[in-house]
Amino acid sequence: DPGSIYKGFFEDVLYALQRKGAILIPEWRYMRAHHNKALMEMIRDIDLAGIDTGIHSRIFGCKEEFVDAIDGVEFPCVYKSAEGAGSKGVALFKTKEQALRFVEHENINRVITIKEKIHKIKEEELSSLHSNYRRKFVIQNYVPGLSGDFKVLVFGDKYYALSRQNRDNDFRASGGGRLNYEPDLPLGIFDFAKSIFDALNVPILSLDIAYDGQRFYLIEFQCLHFGTAALEYSTHYHTLENNRWTRHEETSDLEKEIVLALKKYIVKNAYLDE
């Protein structure tokens, strides 16, 4: 769905249903944040304000906004287009010049540019608010020295995890296919994941978490329509019992876990009685 055109229509329908009294699960803002990293980062700043997620983002709606702010950007930094998954639209900028070239190339609206050339519209005749580079994106701090990250899925009270190694000569792990379903998990990773899950108040959650040996970093999160390999191919899961994380040697059925997670969410939020 290039440009999220149909997704925009779908969001309109969901919002109208909510206005009519429907209870959306998850809430509408989390649905809108799907494949919308700009909103996702705004939600991080609001809903996760009390949690040190390690990642700091700046959000831009066009190239000109980035140019105006670039002197305040610390390099190296990570660029993420608002759309995309599996590391698509993600790049590492080492210098200011590299960043400017990339943003200009990636964010140009070529249709508008061609039309303006055809009609011989001169730049000085355009409004100062006009831009041919209107494609929102996110700039984040770069975490050096990472060899990969962890994918943690939360379904109700069950936590699943796998590790992902970076691609060759690349800082990105997502979409590389180098998965380990029996990783050595750093102590505290599920506590970190649970703090985010509790703050967002959703039935299911996907978290991309990095660890540099000292602290955790929440790279991204999604609340629906995410990859479920960590659940489907794992032979175990973890739950928090008496303030201790317990490993359960059991395979899980995706459809069953979705239903159970939804039930827990509905009861927790008092939409229905147990």
Side-chain angles (χ1 to χ4, degrees), residues 206-268:
S206 171
L207 302 169
D208 296 353
I209 298 175
Y211 182 66
D212 65 0
Q214 294 183 323
R215 64 182 298 186
F216 293 103
Y217 300 85
L218 175 61
I219 306 300
E220 288 184 8
F221 65 91
Q222 290 288 355
C223 304
L224 73 162
H225 202 263
F226 47 75
T228 55
L231 183 155
E232 294 183 88
Y233 297 107
S234 287
T235 59
H236 60 278
Y237 58 85
H238 287 78
T239 60
L240 183 63
E241 300 175 9
N242 299 319
N243 294 319
R244 296 185 62 181
W245 289 100
T246 302
R247 173 169 167 149
H248 302 266
E249 300 295 337
E250 179 184 350
T251 58
S252 298
D253 177 81
L254 176 62
E255 288 76 13
K256 177 182 177 181
E257 297 308 326
I258 290 174
V259 171
L260 292 176
L262 286 171
K263 178 185 176 183
K264 288 180 181 297
Y265 176 85
I266 290 169
V267 172
K268 174 186 174 183

Side-chain angles (χ1 to χ4, degrees), residues 58 60 62-73 100 128:
R58 299 185 67 175
F60 300 95
C62 64
K63 182 196 76 171
E64 287 77 6
E65 292 178 3
F66 182 60
V67 171
D68 289 343
I70 197 167
D71 288 338
V73 175
L100 291 172
S128 61

Side-chain angles (χ1 to χ4, degrees), residues 23-271:
I23 298 172
L24 302 185
I25 303 176
E27 295 180 10
W28 185 80
R29 65 183 182 276
Y30 297 133
M31 295 185 179
R32 180 165 171 76
H34 182 66
H35 280 308
N36 183 350
K37 293 183 176 68
L39 180 57
M40 180 195 298
E41 293 307 315
M42 296 177 190
I43 290 175
R44 180 203 296 265
D45 290 342
I46 299 170
D47 292 11
L48 303 179
I51 301 172
D52 180 10
T53 65
I55 297 296
H56 311 288
S57 303
R58 299 185 67 175
I59 303 148
F60 300 95
C62 64
K63 182 196 76 171
E64 287 77 6
E65 292 178 3
F66 182 60
V67 171
D68 289 343
I70 197 167
D71 288 338
V73 175
E74 183 178 344
F75 292 90
C77 63
V78 176
Y79 167 98
K80 293 182 178 180
S81 61
E83 299 177 46
S87 292
K88 183 179 180 181
V90 179
L92 177 64
F93 296 153
K94 296 182 179 180
T95 66
K96 181 188 301 186
E97 293 72 24
Q98 180 188 16
L100 291 172
R101 287 195 303 270
F102 185 93
V103 170
E104 180 162 348
H105 179 268
E106 289 295 308
N107 285 53
I108 189 171
N109 188 320
R110 291 179 173 81
V111 174
I112 293 178
T113 302
I114 292 171
K115 286 182 178 180
E116 290 182 351
K117 288 182 177 180
I118 292 174
H119 293 288
K120 298 180 180 179
I121 297 177
K122 297 179 180 179
E123 188 67 27
E124 58 265 26
E125 296 174 352
L126 299 176
S127 164
S128 61
L129 297 178
H130 178 87
S131 173
N132 286 351
Y133 301 87
R134 302 188 301 273
R135 187 171 294 163
K136 57 190 175 183
F137 60 94
V138 174
I139 296 293
Q140 294 181 333
N141 57 302
Y142 171 61
V143 183
L146 298 177
S147 61
D149 65 12
F150 298 90
K151 171 70 76 174
V152 176
L153 302 186
V154 187
F155 280 69
D157 58 356
K158 297 180 180 179
Y159 288 69
Y160 305 81
L162 59 80
S163 65
R164 307 184 298 188
Q165 290 298 112
N166 289 352
R167 311 175 192 192
D168 290 334
N169 302 313
D170 201 331
F171 74 102
R172 298 170 297 181
S174 179
R178 297 182 171 185
L179 309 179
N180 179 7
Y181 294 95
E182 287 285 349
D184 292 326
L185 297 174
L187 185 66
I189 189 171
F190 289 136
D191 292 322
F192 181 69
K194 187 176 185 304
S195 68
I196 298 164
F197 180 69
D198 290 344
L200 294 177
N201 187 29
V202 291
I204 61 176
L205 183 64
S206 171
L207 302 169
D208 296 353
I209 298 175
Y211 182 66
D212 65 0
Q214 294 183 323
R215 64 182 298 186
F216 293 103
Y217 300 85
L218 175 61
I219 306 300
E220 288 184 8
F221 65 91
Q222 290 288 355
C223 304
L224 73 162
H225 202 263
F226 47 75
T228 55
L231 183 155
E232 294 183 88
Y233 297 107
S234 287
T235 59
H236 60 278
Y237 58 85
H238 287 78
T239 60
L240 183 63
E241 300 175 9
N242 299 319
N243 294 319
R244 296 185 62 181
W245 289 100
T246 302
R247 173 169 167 149
H248 302 266
E249 300 295 337
E250 179 184 350
T251 58
S252 298
D253 177 81
L254 176 62
E255 288 76 13
K256 177 182 177 181
E257 297 308 326
I258 290 174
V259 171
L260 292 176
L262 286 171
K263 178 185 176 183
K264 288 180 181 297
Y265 176 85
I266 290 169
V267 172
K268 174 186 174 183
N269 288 276
Y271 297 134

